[in-house]
Amino acid sequence: MTTTTEARTRSGRLMLNKVPEVTIWFWVIKVLCTTVGESFADWINMKLGVGLVNTAWIFTAVFVVVLAVQLRLKRYVPFPYWLTVVVVSVTGTLYTDILTDQLNVPLWISSAVFSVLLAVVFGVWWARERTLSIHSVTTLPRESFYWLAVLVTFALGTATGDWTLELTGWSPGVSVLLPLGLIAAITLLWKFGANPVLSFWLAYILTRPLGANIGDWLASPKVAQPGEPTGLDLGTFTTSLIFLGLILATVVYLTVTRSDVTETHEATHAAPATSNPRRERTALAGFGLLALATAALLVWAHGQPHVGPAAEEDNTSAVQMAPGQAVKKFPPAKVDALKKLASTSLKDARSGDATGAHAAAQSLRDLWDADQASLQPLDQTGWTSIDAQMDKVLGTFGIDHSNPPMSPAQQEKELNALLTDMG
């Protein structure tokens, strides 16, 4: 789908268009970037044990650097443009994850806030430039509005995509079908005569949950606990490498052929047909019906029986272990790091600092998951014992569980039990 409209420059340095032509290659590489953004962020956050907040700081810094390079260019260049998209996809996703996992903001609130924020960005952009078309990104102000809108669309796509999974309980493989179907419907409405700018941005938002679900489906294990995602078991690192390779190959192709450069495309393709106001109004009604149908589907899916998490089992009662026995074969430095985070969470819970206690528990979870590959082979029984108690701790904070956070007293009880088990 394309987004032609009158390009009117009010101020700023005039440049060639800084955004690629919207061809099939645009959408292919956009989904690839979204997928690799999701899987690569998960790999850094979970496997390397960097943590969610630290990962967000890292990618924010990288985003500032690559965006500065992109803004200094006077025309569209594939490599820096798509590198910026990859980085902004990760950054926008991380911001939503921090709201959800660290600050306990419900996904429906995040979705509403980012929807309003995106409307504000578009409103100010339109009021100043009188166009939202990506075919008219020819000045620094317009490009700045464009990248701000892209950042918010990724955050919004993350929130709405995760909220959909929360409502429906669908697996990543099944969840791919909803954004894919919506994008197909939007494409048909655009072909019919829908406003191209509106069609573009709606499809752009939906590519985020589409790419993320593809990434989760490829990376998730083939066998998992009830309620946990399953997939092809490629892992986040392998998935990231595959998609980075595909992105690189596509960018090289576009660099050589210049087939997605607006000026090149316009010289080799006929101009799009003039818009038809009646068809645009009819298509707008079609978008409304599509929204209602989607809402009805989600309500129906939410009312169906879900496969929730497996029932809690007290695995520690199966093997009685003395305090410290479960971690006896683990490296002391790793045990001390875990105990430090558990103690911090306990201290904050006791002092009434719910945000601090939750953040420390989240970091505890991240570190425990990151150390699984090295600790579990050392002592399967000990690891299972600690993992069971760790899960109880996380359950009191509503981390990786559907329940809301429990009382500070319950949190203190399970944290004390965990610290006792770790000696």
Side-chain angles (χ1 to χ4, degrees), residues 68-85:
V69 173
Q70 168 65 22
L71 292 176
R72 288 180 64 85
L73 298 173
K74 295 183 179 180
R75 61 183 177 86
Y76 161 68
V77 180
F79 183 78
Y81 174 86
W82 288 111
L83 177 61
T84 307
V85 173

Side-chain angles (χ1 to χ4, degrees), residues 126-147:
W126 172 261
R128 190 184 191 283
E129 302 294 334
R130 294 303 180 195
T131 178
L132 301 179
S133 171
I134 67 167
H135 280 178
S136 62
V137 182
T138 54
T139 65
L140 181 60
R142 289 182 182 181
E143 187 176 10
S144 299
F145 280 122
Y146 171 77
W147 286 113

